[in-house]
Amino acid sequence: MILEHAILPVVPGREAAFEEAFAEAKAIIAGMPGFLDLELSRSIETPNEYLLLVRWESLEAHDPGFRGSAEYGRWRELLHGFYDPFPVVEHFDRMALA
């Protein structure tokens, strides 16, 4: 399992519109092969920032899978105009701890 992590800096004042667009975008990503689940949380200290966590079966399911798909084009149309600056996405692999 791979955990995708991104802080989404939404242009101040556009939070409600972002949340509405994200509700539509969530259905797109949820239908992708290898998608497991996601969480979107809003910062208390910085209310225009959101934490996105997406769980994928593999890194390849996210990239090139989702990012190389036609569905990603619609995701981009819905969400990318809200960000300033554009978010950095990182991937994490679960560690087995004794």
Side-chain angles (χ1 to χ4, degrees):
M1 193 261 329
I2 297 297
L3 180 63
E4 172 193 357
H5 159 281
I7 300 291
L8 308 178
V10 172
V11 174
R14 300 202 60 208
E15 296 89 351
F18 167 73
E19 291 174 17
E20 186 177 310
F22 193 89
E24 183 178 342
K26 182 179 178 183
I28 295 169
I29 196 171
M32 296 304 301
F35 170 86
L36 298 174
D37 69 1
L38 69 75
E39 296 176 35
L40 182 68
S41 302
R42 189 172 182 179
S43 172
I44 294 169
E45 291 79 13
T46 312
N48 68 303
E49 289 188 350
Y50 295 78
L51 170 62
L52 175 64
L53 300 173
V54 183
R55 288 170 186 80
W56 297 95
E57 289 178 359
S58 66
L59 179 60
E60 295 75 21
H62 180 231
D63 193 5
F66 176 52
R67 284 196 170 173
S69 70
E71 291 86 347
Y72 183 73
R74 179 65 181 142
W75 170 275
R76 187 176 50 243
E77 288 172 14
L78 285 168
L79 300 176
H80 287 195
F82 288 102
Y83 307 137
D84 186 28
F86 195 78
V88 174
V89 174
E90 293 186 13
H91 299 91
F92 296 83
D93 197 1
R94 183 177 295 191
M95 297 177 57
L97 302 176

